[in-house]
Amino acid sequence: MLEHGGRLRQAASQYGIALSGWLDLSTGINPNGWPVPPIPAACWQRLPEDDDELLAAARVYYQNDSLLAVAGSQAAIQSLPLLRPKSRVGLLHPAYAEHAGSWQKAGHQVVRVEANAIDDRLDELDILILVNPNNPTGQLWSRPQLLSWHEKLSRRGGWLLVDEAFIDSLPAEYSLAPLPVRPGLIVLRSVGKFFGLAGIRCGFVITEPDLLARLAELLGPWTISHPGRYVAALALVDRDWQSANAASLAMLGLRLRQLLTDCGWPPSGGCDLFQWVKCEQAVTLHDLLVIQGILTRLFQEPASVRFGLPKDEPAWQRLAQALTHPDIKRLSLFAHPQT
């Protein structure tokens, strides 16, 4: 079983702290997401319809007509491996583990590739999968670099799959979504992270029409509920909120990075929605925060902790106070001794 952030009920049961007593920083989901309005009662009584407002809104937002709405990008991650013959798949580590798990489960050979060795290893691969920016390291690749790798792979029928779940708040020139579709290039987008709407399970696959048709046939009808489609369509056309939110997230990401640095835990990477602290003391740091009711995302390999954004000022103050707890301060001195 792959572990994820957001398992708050499990933490509450394990540590004996009521659900209401937690500060959950274990996900990369925007804690101040798009404000969902009241949903018309009729939404709950209708089956999903493919010709509603969702696809039109998505085509404008992603600047591409060749896309398919799916039940979160997770649905695509689990299904795409079923649409290829057995292949040799290159993935970075650490990265979102569901990619590796899904390709392995489908019988493909998954190989670990270091970021600085992609060029050297590309000839060995049929498929290269990258999360851009990477989760949890925050590493970001430029559009020209990604297209160069895609060109080399596509010459021999390979795929470049780019998961852009955390890219919405970044400058538009990093995304491959608006580019004309081409064989072997697959882009995944999520409504859950930037918009803070993980609960409606809505994402998109952007790629060539033939592959979209095969994926749609595999997934079947009604992958997203009618209320989910209704909310996602409204969020995707709300340009004023999107602009303000992108600016806000950029500032909050910097604030979190600075707070961690000031408290002796300088991040090794991150993006607007999370910061990643790589250190040998990760398990102890995670546990010392847990006993204060603060849940972070713990990674065993490499040993590291990912911090999501606090929701409001009381949450920021609570995190700051926790990080200055004497036990955590002592641990930070051990983790980063002064020279």
Side-chain angles (χ1 to χ4, degrees):
M1 293 293 292
L2 299 174
E3 292 294 328
H4 305 281
R7 301 176 70 91
L8 201 56
R9 291 183 181 277
Q10 177 178 305
S13 174
Q14 181 176 351
Y15 296 101
I17 301 174
L19 282 173
S20 59
W22 285 92
L23 172 57
D24 185 6
L25 306 180
S26 67
T27 75
I29 298 167
N30 184 355
N32 296 295
W34 186 74
V36 179
I39 298 176
C43 278
W44 303 102
Q45 299 162 350
R46 291 171 58 184
L47 291 171
E49 298 171 293
D50 291 339
D51 58 351
D52 61 8
E53 294 81 5
L54 178 60
L55 289 183
R59 285 166 179 155
V60 173
Y61 181 78
Y62 297 114
Q63 301 177 56
N64 203 311
D65 290 341
S66 188
L67 50 75
L68 176 69
V70 294
S73 51
Q74 182 65 34
I77 290 170
Q78 293 179 205
S79 302
L80 285 168
L82 305 177
L83 299 180
R84 255 197 90 96
K86 299 301 181 285
S87 302
R88 188 171 170 87
V89 184
L91 289 121
L92 299 190
H93 182 84
Y96 183 52
E98 285 287 352
H99 286 287
S102 295
W103 287 89
Q104 287 174 330
K105 185 177 180 181
H108 300 271
Q109 182 182 2
V110 173
V111 296
R112 183 183 298 187
V113 179
E114 300 298 326
N116 59 4
I118 293 176
D119 283 307
D120 295 334
R121 302 287 301 278
L122 201 63
D123 289 342
E124 306 171 22
L125 306 176
D126 302 304
I127 301 168
L128 175 63
I129 299 175
L130 296 172
V131 183
N132 195 37
N134 189 40
N135 172 21
T137 69
Q139 184 165 2
L140 187 63
W141 288 272
S142 69
R143 183 183 283 178
Q145 178 64 84
L146 293 171
L147 292 178
S148 173
W149 288 330
H150 164 259
E151 182 181 2
K152 294 174 183 177
L153 287 163
S154 65
R155 287 176 192 161
R156 45 193 167 82
W159 285 0
L160 174 66
L161 193 161
V162 183
D163 183 344
E164 296 185 345
F166 293 96
I167 210 167
D168 295 71
S169 62
L170 298 180
E173 60 263 24
Y174 282 105
S175 175
L176 301 183
L179 301 182
V181 295
R182 55 200 76 188
L185 179 61
I186 304 167
V187 179
L188 306 183
R189 296 296 294 257
S190 170
V191 175
K193 307 298 191 300
F194 174 77
F195 290 95
L197 295 174
I200 67 173
R201 307 309 307 136
C202 181
F204 294 89
V205 182
I206 302 170
T207 190
E208 54 190 310
D210 288 348
L211 182 54
L212 289 182
R214 293 171 59 203
L215 182 59
E217 183 178 1
L218 176 63
L219 294 173
W222 305 332
T223 56
I224 306 170
S225 71
H226 187 78
R229 295 178 69 95
Y230 173 84
V231 170
L234 291 177
L236 289 169
V237 299
D238 191 345
R239 292 296 187 182
D240 290 342
W241 182 88
Q242 292 160 19
S243 297
N245 186 57
S248 174
L249 288 176
M251 291 189 294
L252 293 175
L254 289 173
R255 180 179 180 181
L256 179 58
R257 184 175 188 85
Q258 190 63 54
L259 173 62
L260 291 167
T261 301
D262 291 345
C263 292
W265 300 99
S268 304
C271 66
D272 292 345
L273 283 164
F274 59 79
Q275 293 295 316
W276 181 61
V277 176
K278 179 183 176 184
C279 61
E280 294 181 0
Q281 297 76 19
V283 172
T284 305
L285 173 60
H286 173 269
D287 289 349
L288 287 173
L289 289 167
V290 160
I291 61 177
Q292 299 184 69
I294 298 177
L295 186 63
T296 57
R297 175 71 168 93
L298 176 65
F299 293 84
Q300 300 290 346
E301 184 188 356
S304 51
V305 177
R306 192 189 67 192
F307 290 77
L309 295 175
K311 178 177 176 59
D312 50 26
E313 200 59 34
W316 280 98
Q317 295 304 318
R318 181 175 175 184
L319 176 61
Q321 183 176 2
L323 290 170
T324 56
H325 186 280
D327 290 341
I328 293 182
K329 291 298 292 183
R330 281 192 292 270
L331 186 67
S332 71
L333 295 175
F334 180 74
H336 306 285
Q338 300 296 316
T339 57

